[in-house]
Amino acid sequence: MMTALLLFWPALAALLVLLVQGQGAKRVAFIAALVEFAIALFAAATFTIAKTDPQFELSVPWIARAGISFSIGMDGISLLLVLLTTFLVPLIILSSFKHDYKKPNAFYALILFMQTGLIGVFVAQDAFLFYFFWEVALIPVYFIAAIWGGARRVAVTFKFFVYTIFGSFFMLAAFIYLYFQTAGTGIAAHSSDINAFYQLALDSSTQSWIFWFLFLAFAIKMPVFPLHTWQPDTYTEAPTQATMLLSGIMLKMGIYGVLRWLLPVVPNGASQWLDVVLVLSIIGIIYASIIAIRQHDLKRLIAYSSIAHVGLISAGIFSLTEQGLQGGVIQMLSHGINVVGLFFIIDIIFSRTKTREIMSLGGITQTTPALSICFMILLLGSIALPLTNGFIGEFLLLSGVFQYSYSFGAIAGVTIILGSVYMLRMFQGVMFGTRSPETEAFADLTFNEKAVLFPLVVMVFWIGLFPGTFLDISEPAVFNLLNIIQRR
Amino acid sequence: MISIILLAGFGIINLFTGFLKSNRIMLPLVLFFLAIVFGVNLFSWNDPQSYFNNMMTIDNYAVAFTGIMVLSTLLILPFSQRYVADQDENLAEYYSLLLFALMAGIMMVSFENMIMLFLGIEIMSISMYVLAGSDKKRPRSNEASLKYFLMGSFFTGFLLFGIVLIYGATGSFDITTIAGTAVGADGIDNTMFVAGLLLTIIGISFKISAAPFHFWAPDVYEGTPTLFTAFMSTVVKIAGVAAFYKLLNAGFASSYSTWFPTLIAITVLTLVVGNIGAAVQGNIKRMLAYSSISHAGYLLMSVIAFNERSEQSIFFYSLAYSVATIAAFGILKLVTVQREDESFASFNGLGQTNPLLALVMTVSMCSLAGIPLTAGFFGKFFIFTSVLEDNSLIWLVVVAVLLAAVGIYYYFKVVIAMYMQPTGNYERVRVTSLASFVLIFMTVLTILLGLAPALVSDLI
């Protein structure tokens, strides 16, 4: 029941928000999102860490005759991602308080509606339900980006939309194929339950093509090189809230899909292509980092840094080691927190100076101690300095890649150096140096902005100093996944 | 059976209401007739009956498709308020022709004899030839009617010739008797049988506008008054596909390997032509015409799959497709009549001037594109499921999936125009309350079926 509540509350709240006229919608949406976070915290408090099976399960027949059920539940990995989602959405809504978007009720209703889709993806225990929520999460963010975005929004978001749907149709085809290989129970001849998928015994050539069908969908979402071309433009053109949703939460859908629906379902197919995926991921890391160094636009810079980070997560996960998987999970949380914080800071800078060009900024530190400190902490988290959240994730991921292959590990490790180059170069250009006309009267953080950034900063340290809190939650689930992968 | 008699009777009665010259009386009357037929039809559920020495059978298959067709007509007609064509002069005749066409549709889904199939197709086609030209003062409408008539008669010849050849080979019009004979069976003239079968397939392919027999469709759809285009692309098409499946399933199941290569070529070609054709259109009505070709392709996929899931998937897809298409054409009619423009630009800024219309149109476009939360997703889902039951057809699903992505491109061009383009100097589109009600009903139905497809998919 807990999961169902988590799933349906945002959708219900979205309908409520639609009825609110004027700018009051943002407050209603914020309160609804806080309630959702409270429910998630309560779920976390009553969660039994030692159990590997999904908890708070609910399963009702959906298309009974076909063996498709509306079945949801959470294991450790799901719980962490649900916590991440419910933690970030209220902050994302709060971060928009200074903007007066036109038609605010539709804007905030779409955000909440998207939350239902995101949570659905993380808790679905049925392949078709997973696919269903996968698309449900996409539609609202498309409209948010395409209606409230920047000048080139229409073409750019359209590319993003068609690109991702294109990938997910392949996932659907693969799911239907897998579904016919399963054995059902009762009146249904087949079943799309996740456990039925986990028990499939397919020959290796079938697994090989199924792998690519599924990987295409997930890789476009993450995105993995060379399927990343939609991402920088979409992040740049979308309104900041949509960018946060996309980078903070939505790209985790792709990684989660790999963990839950790719590796355990076609482990043999995955092992045939590990080298290829790792090489692609590592190319992505280096390529995106180098491009990030050359960027002048802050939003584009962070967008490319995001591709680099995701490349490392994907490399770590595909090392198929415990450290790699655990690192992937913890880095999903860290990346979500850091990237949302950084995009928010860029939004703050943009709203005061009307520019995102590094060249025309500078000297902001002189008047803004609070902003500078928050920015620095999030940035250090992003470049994986010890004691911050990024360090834990990247360390585990790299140790996973090293176990797979020393040479791959060594090349992937360059990410830390390149990451500090582009991040510190950005910080230097924006915050230090002499003031420009644009940054002449730069005000420090307002109360609302602090309310967004402080929780994020706290989380940077919490994960950095006490990663055990989170690693312990995901550990049984990760072990369980590894068992399934190795057993078959 | 009663529904056929009722429709014929109502069609004749309705002609006399023409003396009243008032749509305010005629429209409610026709809707009332249709509601009766819809209700009466349901009584035959789970009560299969054979009529006229086994010329027709009203079984669950017939009842289900009759239900969709009557419902579609019920949903189309409310958009006839204020303007149909020809300044309402011959309204009674148009309504009667629709009722006759509907009756023919029922014959097409319940036939047991090739003669009945042919009669059904002909009655329907003749009604449509007239309706296509009903906007008498517009040259495009005249052109549509003439084109449809000439091409239609030509392909009717194919169909009739096919039926005759099959009769020559098997000695029977009865599809159960025909089913007893197959290619290579004793006493069968192989060449004659195969030629007859292929000619019949070509004849029906024309009626459902499957490529390469689709060339008439875009021009005819564009020229025909929008209300009747909606009828043409839903009721006519669904009757055709349902008849097609029934014919192959009941009559030619044992000749599967003979018609399969032909039909798969037609299907792939239809998918490609429909989707690529729709993507390059600048006129929304033409885009919808090509999109309806592409949907014929998806429906044919299910016919090709030819297994126990086919009926269910054709049924669900037909319902989802009809509801979304009628909403799209209904809105197109409302918008283009007022804005006098059929290009994508005529929808510019509709999200601001008419939020309701824009929302309904968005849901319909999503449904046609097959995006979850809408009935169209489960339509595609059931189709792909029935095709993938046979592993050898994976490539067909891959082709369909690639083309479905193209579909998203052209359907979302409408959404982009509505929400992301400035309104310009367009004013609010006027919508009658009956039309609004029907539009809301269709949206709710589309979303309901997108959430709980089992409500109807388990019926058949």
Side-chain angles (χ1 to χ4, degrees):
Chain A
M1 269 334 279
M2 187 76 81
T3 321
L5 189 63
L6 273 170
L7 189 56
F8 291 119
W9 168 248
L12 200 72
L15 292 179
L16 235 129
V17 169
L18 265 183
L19 299 176
V20 181
Q21 296 296 319
Q23 295 295 333
K26 58 178 71 160
R27 266 173 222 99
V28 180
F30 179 61
I31 291 165
L34 277 183
V35 170
E36 173 81 356
F37 184 47
I39 302 171
L41 283 180
F42 183 70
T46 50
F47 186 84
T48 318
I49 288 176
K51 275 171 72 178
T52 55
D53 293 330
Q55 302 175 35
F56 313 115
E57 275 197 291
L58 174 78
S59 182
V60 287
W62 193 18
I63 309 176
R65 234 170 47 171
I68 299 171
S69 57
F70 188 93
S71 118
I72 49 179
M74 292 191 281
D75 66 356
I77 301 174
S78 306
L79 178 73
L80 285 180
L81 287 166
V82 167
L83 281 172
L84 176 76
T85 309
T86 51
F87 170 70
L88 288 180
V89 169
L91 296 180
I92 290 170
I93 292 174
L94 187 62
S95 76
S96 71
F97 267 37
K98 62 177 177 296
H99 295 286
D100 282 337
Y101 287 111
K102 58 178 203 282
K103 282 197 241 149
N105 53 350
F107 183 82
Y108 293 100
L110 283 171
I111 291 184
L112 287 171
F113 191 64
M114 185 186 174
Q115 195 180 8
T116 288
L118 292 166
I119 291 190
V121 166
F122 296 139
V123 302
Q125 299 290 321
D126 180 288
F128 295 124
L129 192 64
F130 172 79
Y131 177 80
F132 184 80
F133 283 121
W134 176 275
E135 299 289 35
V136 165
L138 173 67
I139 297 163
V141 81
Y142 165 70
F143 280 104
I144 297 176
I147 296 178
W148 288 275
R152 284 169 54 234
R153 65 189 192 277
V154 174
V156 163
T157 51
F158 196 44
K159 177 178 173 187
F160 153 68
F161 188 69
V162 175
Y163 216 132
T164 47
I165 288 227
F166 170 78
S168 44
F169 277 159
F170 277 92
M171 172 166 77
L172 179 63
F175 277 167
I176 297 177
Y177 180 86
L178 290 169
Y179 163 76
F180 277 113
Q181 315 304 314
T182 61
T185 49
I187 49 164
H190 306 289
S191 161
S192 54
D193 190 78
I194 191 164
N195 290 314
F197 273 39
Y198 283 179
Q199 278 153 15
L200 286 173
L202 303 168
D203 62 62
S204 57
S205 61
T206 312
Q207 291 209 15
S208 173
W209 70 259
I210 293 268
F211 171 83
W212 282 108
F213 272 42
L214 292 173
F215 184 69
L216 186 67
F218 301 141
I220 288 174
K221 207 76 147 196
M222 290 205 272
V224 170
F225 177 89
L227 302 168
H228 64 280
T229 52
W230 60 270
Q231 193 249 37
D233 287 339
T234 308
Y235 281 17
T236 315
E237 290 301 319
T240 306
Q241 280 67 38
T243 313
M244 290 170 166
L245 285 166
L246 284 168
S247 61
I249 311 172
M250 198 161 189
L251 73 79
K252 276 71 187 180
M253 280 166 51
I255 303 167
Y256 177 82
V258 169
L259 279 176
R260 179 79 69 204
W261 293 99
L262 180 66
L263 296 177
V265 174
V266 283
N268 191 347
S271 65
Q272 292 174 48
W273 296 106
L274 281 184
D275 281 338
V276 177
V277 174
L278 272 151
V279 168
L280 287 180
S281 306
I282 291 168
I283 293 176
I285 298 172
I286 310 285
Y287 167 83
S289 302
I290 292 173
I291 294 186
I293 294 174
R294 302 297 307 157
Q295 290 305 310
H296 304 295
D297 183 296
L298 287 172
K299 235 176 164 181
R300 284 190 90 81
L301 194 155
I302 301 295
Y304 277 107
S305 90
S306 186
I307 298 177
H309 282 118
V310 171
L312 184 60
I313 298 179
S314 136
I317 285 176
F318 276 96
S319 73
L320 294 185
T321 56
E322 190 210 337
Q323 285 79 9
L325 261 63
Q326 277 281 46
V329 173
I330 202 88
Q331 185 68 358
M332 279 198 257
L333 306 184
S334 310
H335 177 261
I337 289 161
N338 296 340
V339 85
V340 165
L342 289 173
F343 274 125
F344 183 50
I345 287 172
I346 292 169
D347 187 49
I348 294 174
I349 293 173
F350 181 72
S351 66
R352 290 181 195 174
T353 61
K354 303 291 167 231
T355 177
R356 290 194 303 252
E357 292 289 313
I358 298 179
M359 301 298 181
S360 42
L361 295 166
I364 295 177
T365 40
Q366 296 167 20
T367 51
T368 60
L371 174 69
S372 312
I373 290 168
C374 290
F375 194 0
M376 196 64 200
I377 291 169
L378 287 165
L379 189 131
L380 291 176
S382 196
I383 59 180
L385 197 80
L387 300 183
T388 64
N389 57 1
F391 174 73
I392 311 294
E394 296 212 346
F395 177 79
L396 286 169
L397 286 167
L398 282 173
S399 78
V401 182
F402 265 109
Q403 285 174 49
Y404 182 81
S405 147
Y406 279 113
S407 46
F408 282 179
I411 305 170
V414 178
T415 178
I416 295 192
I417 303 167
L418 290 173
S420 8
V421 172
Y422 60 75
M423 283 294 184
L424 292 173
R425 178 182 154 273
M426 170 179 80
F427 195 79
Q428 213 173 352
V430 174
M431 303 301 282
F432 294 136
T434 51
R435 287 194 192 184
S436 67
E438 283 88 355
T439 59
E440 204 51 59
F442 202 97
D444 204 359
L445 297 179
T446 63
F447 176 76
N448 263 351
E449 290 162 353
K450 282 180 187 163
V452 175
L453 285 174
F454 283 2
L456 293 171
V457 167
V458 169
M459 288 312 294
V460 169
F461 285 122
W462 189 350
I463 299 179
L465 294 171
F466 309 104
T469 330
F470 303 95
L471 289 172
D472 288 350
I473 294 178
S474 61
E475 196 173 11
V478 165
F479 264 121
N480 189 29
L481 282 181
L482 277 172
N483 270 334
I484 294 168
I485 294 169
Q486 277 146 13
R487 191 179 66 220
R488 299 171 53 216
Chain B
M1 189 60 218
I2 304 172
S3 35
I4 294 184
I5 298 171
L6 278 178
L7 276 172
F10 286 150
I12 293 168
I13 294 172
N14 195 63
L15 279 176
F16 292 98
T17 61
F19 295 122
L20 300 169
K21 297 247 178 226
S22 165
N23 198 17
R24 305 185 84 173
I25 299 171
M26 272 188 270
L27 180 62
L29 197 64
V30 177
L31 292 178
F32 175 66
F33 287 160
L34 286 170
I36 292 177
V37 173
F38 188 79
V40 165
N41 174 49
L42 296 182
F43 280 109
S44 306
W45 187 254
N46 279 338
D47 180 24
Q49 296 269 351
S50 172
Y51 297 95
F52 301 136
N53 297 321
N54 204 26
M55 292 286 259
M56 309 175 74
T57 306
I58 307 283
D59 50 8
N60 280 1
Y61 185 78
V63 172
F65 283 99
T66 305
I68 297 184
M69 289 189 287
V70 177
L71 179 71
S72 303
T73 318
L74 262 173
L75 294 174
I76 291 171
L77 286 180
F79 295 100
S80 71
Q81 276 179 311
R82 302 234 169 120
Y83 171 84
V84 182
D86 202 18
Q87 311 309 323
D88 299 350
E89 260 178 36
N90 303 314
L91 207 48
E93 284 87 333
Y94 301 150
Y95 285 146
S96 291
L97 283 169
L98 282 180
L99 294 178
F100 291 143
L102 195 55
M103 180 198 76
I106 301 178
M107 291 167 71
M108 286 166 71
V109 297
S110 56
F111 74 97
E112 281 294 316
N113 191 300
M114 299 289 258
I115 297 291
M116 289 312 268
L117 172 69
F118 181 75
L119 275 180
I121 289 182
E122 268 316 273
I123 296 176
M124 180 169 262
S125 301
I126 290 169
S127 308
M128 293 325 291
Y129 300 150
V130 178
L131 291 176
S134 58
D135 200 352
K136 291 194 286 276
K137 285 166 195 138
R138 240 174 91 240
R140 296 304 298 259
S141 182
N142 289 316
E143 182 197 327
S145 184
L146 189 65
K147 230 176 213 170
Y148 195 20
F149 175 65
L150 290 177
M151 299 287 278
S153 322
F154 186 61
F155 278 92
T156 302
F158 275 70
L159 179 64
L160 193 57
F161 205 32
I163 292 174
V164 168
L165 286 179
I166 291 169
Y167 179 77
T170 64
S172 175
F173 287 123
D174 186 79
I175 53 171
T176 330
T177 316
I178 294 171
T181 53
V183 181
D186 289 339
I188 291 288
D189 186 332
N190 247 335
T191 325
M192 200 191 266
F193 185 79
V194 172
L197 178 55
L198 292 183
L199 285 174
T200 312
I201 288 178
I202 290 173
I204 300 183
S205 298
F206 170 84
K207 299 295 173 189
I208 60 172
S209 67
F213 314 108
H214 67 283
F215 290 104
W216 59 279
D219 290 345
V220 171
Y221 279 35
E222 192 191 350
T224 306
T226 310
L227 197 66
F228 305 131
T229 315
F231 189 83
M232 225 181 249
S233 61
T234 55
V235 176
V236 176
K237 185 153 291 192
I238 286 158
V241 173
F244 209 164
Y245 182 72
K246 176 157 184 164
L247 178 73
L248 294 175
N249 187 35
F252 298 95
S254 50
S255 323
Y256 179 77
S257 55
T258 312
W259 54 257
F260 178 77
T262 315
L263 205 54
I264 204 156
I266 290 178
T267 306
V268 173
L269 209 57
T270 307
L271 284 169
V272 173
V273 167
N275 281 301
I276 306 292
V280 297
Q281 300 303 319
N283 176 309
I284 293 200
K285 212 167 163 186
R286 277 187 91 82
M287 183 278 275
L288 285 172
Y290 274 102
S291 113
S292 97
I293 295 175
S294 80
H295 287 288
Y298 292 115
L299 283 162
L300 281 179
M301 282 175 73
S302 219
V303 175
I304 281 185
F306 211 61
N307 51 38
E308 74 282 355
R309 289 170 193 275
S310 296
E311 279 184 24
Q312 182 206 31
S313 54
I314 294 175
F315 172 70
F316 193 91
Y317 199 91
S318 302
L319 181 61
Y321 162 74
S322 301
V323 172
T325 306
I326 292 167
F329 273 114
I331 293 172
L332 179 71
K333 172 175 181 278
L334 295 170
V335 170
T336 50
V337 163
Q338 187 169 334
R339 296 186 174 175
E340 293 174 346
D341 176 17
E342 281 179 1
S343 69
F344 280 90
S346 67
F347 275 71
N348 280 359
L350 199 69
Q352 270 142 40
T353 56
N354 293 65
L356 174 71
L357 288 191
L359 179 69
V360 173
M361 193 70 179
T362 307
V363 171
S364 303
M365 290 294 125
C366 285
S367 188
L368 289 174
I371 290 169
L373 269 184
T374 60
F377 165 67
F378 277 105
K380 285 220 170 55
F381 175 79
F382 288 133
I383 296 244
F384 291 172
T385 313
S386 79
V387 174
L388 276 177
E389 184 149 5
D390 178 6
N391 286 343
S392 64
L393 286 174
I394 290 166
W395 64 271
L396 180 62
V397 172
V398 173
V399 171
V401 157
L402 291 173
L403 291 167
V406 177
I408 289 164
Y409 166 74
Y410 56 78
Y411 290 124
F412 269 73
K413 267 176 31 185
V414 182
V415 177
I416 286 173
M418 289 191 302
Y419 285 107
M420 291 143 215
Q421 303 293 344
T423 314
N425 45 14
Y426 284 133
E427 286 175 7
R428 192 182 152 77
V429 174
R430 287 180 303 276
V431 190
T432 62
S433 52
L434 181 62
S436 308
F437 171 76
V438 172
L439 287 172
I440 292 170
F441 173 77
M442 286 191 278
T443 306
V444 170
L445 190 63
T446 300
I447 292 175
L448 185 68
L449 292 181
L451 290 172
L455 284 179
V456 300
S457 73
D458 282 359
L459 285 179
I460 190 165

